[in-house]
Amino acid sequence: MFSVNNKGKEKMFTRNKMACALAFSLLPFINTAMADDTAANSVEIQFNGQVKAPTCTINDNTSHSVVLPEINLQKVEALTTGQATADQQKRFQINVSCATKATENDIQLTIEGNSASATLSNSSNDAESAHGVGFELFSEQDQNTPLQVNSVVPASDYIDRLNQGDDNINFIVEYAKQDATVTAGNVTSSATFAFTYK
């Protein structure tokens, strides 16, 4: 009887011990579940920015016509291909208005036209058109280096003109020899000057 009861008590003690062990083993999972319920499941992020108004504008965006004086054919023939001549050059300007003084970090000026290099091609193609002649553009600050067409104008050529208020960016246009063979006639071309903002 005694030995049987002891075995029975041992079995009950073993069952109780296992039940307690199981209960304690579940506590970490219960605590974790409770912790997840109290954790945030969303977050609000605020974004801020600013749209900047154009620093400078071109006051007149209509088409302009710059007429160069006639040049003698022999003077153009004497040039090397790709070279321009200051003879019969013409100065012109673009009037701009700036809300504040601009820097090269704010703005850039581009020139677009019918050209693969610095020489604007002659778009006149009738019987009275010249051949092998075009135009090259120069800034007032650098009259020895032609401005590349379809490219960005060096900031040093105009940035000191972009002060607060109205001002002019000055340029020069010259006849240029484009091909080895040159004939007399009309020369016509155009270029678009545009500000882009960084």
Side-chain angles (χ1 to χ4, degrees), residues 69-82:
E70 291 182 351
I71 190 170
N72 189 288
L73 175 64
Q74 293 180 337
K75 290 185 177 180
V76 179
E77 289 178 327
L79 300 172
T80 59
T81 302

Side-chain angles (χ1 to χ4, degrees), residues 68-140:
L68 282 74
E70 291 182 351
I71 190 170
N72 189 288
L73 175 64
Q74 293 180 337
K75 290 185 177 180
V76 179
E77 289 178 327
L79 300 172
T80 59
T81 302
Q83 183 182 11
T85 175
D87 188 50
Q88 307 302 332
Q89 67 177 205
K90 189 77 173 182
R91 294 176 179 267
F92 66 99
Q93 60 190 25
I94 297 174
N95 185 253
V96 296
S97 179
C98 300
T100 60
K101 181 175 175 57
T103 70
E104 58 185 294
N105 295 324
D106 303 320
I107 196 171
Q108 64 182 17
L109 179 65
T110 58
I111 301 176
E112 297 179 359
N114 182 19
S115 172
S117 58
T119 305
L120 288 165
S121 300
N122 185 10
S123 59
S124 180
N125 55 10
D126 56 27
E128 297 180 351
S129 299
H131 295 280
V133 185
F135 298 111
E136 287 188 1
L137 304 172
F138 299 81
S139 70
E140 184 182 55

Side-chain angles (χ1 to χ4, degrees), residues 4-194:
V4 173
N5 289 338
N6 284 344
K7 289 180 179 179
K9 289 179 179 180
E10 289 175 359
K11 289 181 180 179
M12 291 179 63
F13 177 75
T14 302
R15 289 194 189 99
N16 291 337
K17 186 176 179 181
M18 291 175 62
C20 288
L22 179 60
F24 282 116
S25 66
L26 289 174
L27 283 175
F29 296 99
I30 295 172
N31 290 337
T32 302
M34 291 177 65
D36 289 342
D37 288 341
T38 59
N41 56 12
S42 65
V43 61
E44 180 180 344
I45 301 176
Q46 186 178 51
F47 301 96
N48 296 288
Q50 184 178 21
V51 178
K52 184 171 65 173
T55 307
C56 300
T57 56
I58 297 175
N59 287 336
D60 189 357
N61 59 2
T62 59
S63 297
H64 293 268
S65 180
V66 179
V67 180
L68 282 74
E70 291 182 351
I71 190 170
N72 189 288
L73 175 64
Q74 293 180 337
K75 290 185 177 180
V76 179
E77 289 178 327
L79 300 172
T80 59
T81 302
Q83 183 182 11
T85 175
D87 188 50
Q88 307 302 332
Q89 67 177 205
K90 189 77 173 182
R91 294 176 179 267
F92 66 99
Q93 60 190 25
I94 297 174
N95 185 253
V96 296
S97 179
C98 300
T100 60
K101 181 175 175 57
T103 70
E104 58 185 294
N105 295 324
D106 303 320
I107 196 171
Q108 64 182 17
L109 179 65
T110 58
I111 301 176
E112 297 179 359
N114 182 19
S115 172
S117 58
T119 305
L120 288 165
S121 300
N122 185 10
S123 59
S124 180
N125 55 10
D126 56 27
E128 297 180 351
S129 299
H131 295 280
V133 185
F135 298 111
E136 287 188 1
L137 304 172
F138 299 81
S139 70
E140 184 182 55
Q141 284 78 1
D142 186 358
Q143 300 181 27
N144 296 317
T145 306
L147 296 171
Q148 296 296 309
V149 183
N150 299 317
S151 185
V152 176
V153 177
S156 58
D157 287 354
Y158 64 89
I159 204 67
D160 63 339
R161 292 286 185 165
L162 302 184
N163 300 304
Q164 185 174 6
D166 293 345
D167 210 333
N168 295 316
I169 304 176
N170 300 313
F171 296 96
I172 301 168
V173 57
E174 297 180 355
Y175 287 104
K177 185 176 182 179
Q178 193 169 23
D179 295 320
T181 302
V182 179
T183 62
N186 298 325
V187 185
T188 302
S189 192
S190 63
T192 301
F193 295 74

